[in-house]
Amino acid sequence: MNSRIIKAVLVGSVALVAVAGFAVAASAQAQKQQTPNGWNYEIKNGQRVPKANRVVNADGSWREEMRQGKCVTIKEKTASGEYRETRQCEPGA
């Protein structure tokens, strides 16, 4: 009878340690890698991606410019919720 109790306690503690290990690993993966302020790129999927220059106004509207080579993508959203995205490229691109 005592050996069954000891085995049950051992199995339970091993299971508890395993669950705690999985929880620690999951929380480590959930943390997003942050790029410091002032840098001109952010890290996504282990790659450097240029940060967009976003300007947010007091009324909730915003404008964002992202440069990719010789092209610029402009995303705008008005205070009323209208969204517009345009892409402009320099000649010869």
Side-chain angles (χ1 to χ4, degrees):
M1 184 77 165
N2 285 339
S3 64
R4 288 185 183 175
I5 294 173
I6 292 172
K7 285 181 184 178
V9 168
L10 287 175
V11 169
S13 52
V14 168
L16 183 63
V17 169
V19 168
F22 286 124
V24 169
S27 69
Q29 290 177 353
Q31 293 176 352
K32 183 180 175 187
Q33 187 176 7
Q34 283 287 5
T35 306
N37 291 337
W39 288 20
N40 63 351
Y41 66 88
E42 55 189 347
I43 297 175
K44 291 185 180 178
N45 296 328
Q47 301 290 322
R48 290 182 180 182
V49 179
K51 272 189 183 177
N53 298 325
R54 180 179 278 203
V55 177
V56 180
N57 299 322
D59 62 357
S61 63
W62 53 266
R63 176 184 169 95
E64 178 177 291
E65 293 183 13
M66 181 178 289
R67 181 168 292 281
Q68 294 176 330
K70 293 185 178 182
C71 296
V72 176
T73 302
I74 301 171
K75 299 176 183 180
E76 297 175 298
K77 188 169 185 180
T78 63
S80 62
E82 298 174 31
Y83 176 79
R84 179 174 46 187
E85 184 172 327
T86 57
R87 185 171 173 91
Q88 301 170 348
C89 295
E90 294 177 9

